Amino acid sequence: FRTAIKFDPKFARVYFELGDVLYQQHEKLEEAIANFSKSIDLDPSNDLAFRFRSWANFNLGNHKQSKEDCQLLINRDAIYQETFEQIGINQYELGEFKNAIKSLSVNLELAIEFEDEEEELDLTFLYRGKAKKALEDIKGACQDWTKSSELGNDDAEDLLKQHCQSI
């Protein structure tokens, strides 16, 4: 990749691909973000670069930056079902619980529309349940954690044991 960049430093796709390789190496997330950003600077229409940069920021705990990229994709009508899950989780992490519930609910609606595999929705149910609990809707939280647990999420199982035994 670096040879290709030396040959043509304005080849946006190479920066994206290099960012993807670095992203897959988890310990090089900041370098991946820099390459995704360079790719975006050269080709702002590359929705995948925004998605991947958002995930890299998310994995670093940079929830505000991750949320901003998700919101930009949504505003551009670059609708990926996972974008709503990601923005909802970021909103939860930022303490925006009502917005998190809305975004995660949209994710569930889109999953039905796109006929996605239900087992991939365990995080949506987990975090929507967490947001509901933060807003003191314990019954709703327990319902979401039950669904998440049924889909194989161990964290949801732990939350059910902690908060839902008396319900």
Side-chain angles (χ1 to χ4, degrees):
F1 293 111
R2 298 192 196 287
T3 302
I5 290 171
K6 285 181 184 177
F7 180 73
D8 185 358
K10 294 186 179 183
F11 191 22
R13 181 72 185 188
V14 174
Y15 290 100
F16 172 77
E17 295 295 340
L18 178 56
D20 186 26
V21 168
L22 295 166
Y23 175 77
Q24 301 302 326
Q25 296 176 14
H26 296 295
E27 69 272 0
K28 298 193 176 184
L29 293 174
E30 290 174 353
E31 193 175 346
I33 290 168
N35 280 280
F36 293 137
S37 295
K38 181 68 174 176
S39 177
I40 290 166
D41 289 345
L42 294 170
D43 180 9
S45 68
N46 185 349
D47 293 339
L48 285 177
F50 283 99
R51 284 184 66 199
F52 281 53
R53 183 174 72 178
S54 178
W55 277 113
N57 271 309
F58 178 84
N59 287 322
L60 284 174
N62 300 333
H63 298 290
K64 184 175 185 281
Q65 291 88 343
S66 179
K67 178 184 148 191
E68 288 171 0
D69 280 343
C70 289
Q71 192 61 58
L72 189 139
L73 288 170
I74 291 167
N75 291 346
R76 290 169 35 162
D77 287 330
I79 303 299
Y80 300 93
Q81 177 244 320
E82 308 89 19
T83 304
F84 284 93
E85 179 180 72
Q86 190 173 349
I87 198 169
I89 293 171
N90 282 308
Q91 289 165 329
Y92 168 80
E93 294 292 346
L94 293 167
E96 301 170 9
F97 305 122
K98 287 182 182 178
N99 288 335
I101 291 169
K102 288 178 189 174
S103 296
L104 294 165
S105 295
V106 168
N107 185 60
L108 293 172
E109 292 169 18
L110 289 174
I112 292 166
E113 183 178 325
F114 294 143
E115 298 179 3
D116 285 349
E117 296 296 321
E118 187 176 65
E119 52 271 0
E120 296 177 6
L121 297 172
D122 66 301
L123 287 178
T124 298
F125 285 108
L126 175 73
Y127 277 90
R128 191 173 74 169
K130 287 181 169 188
K132 287 178 178 180
K133 182 190 177 296
L135 295 174
E136 300 182 16
D137 176 7
I138 302 301
K139 183 178 180 184
C142 292
Q143 290 170 340
D144 280 348
W145 293 334
T146 298
K147 188 66 175 170
S148 182
S149 177
E150 290 170 357
L151 295 172
N153 190 295
D154 293 333
D155 292 337
E157 183 66 32
D158 292 341
L159 290 166
L160 281 168
K161 289 176 186 173
Q162 291 174 17
H163 303 287
C164 303
Q165 295 296 324
S166 63
I167 293 179

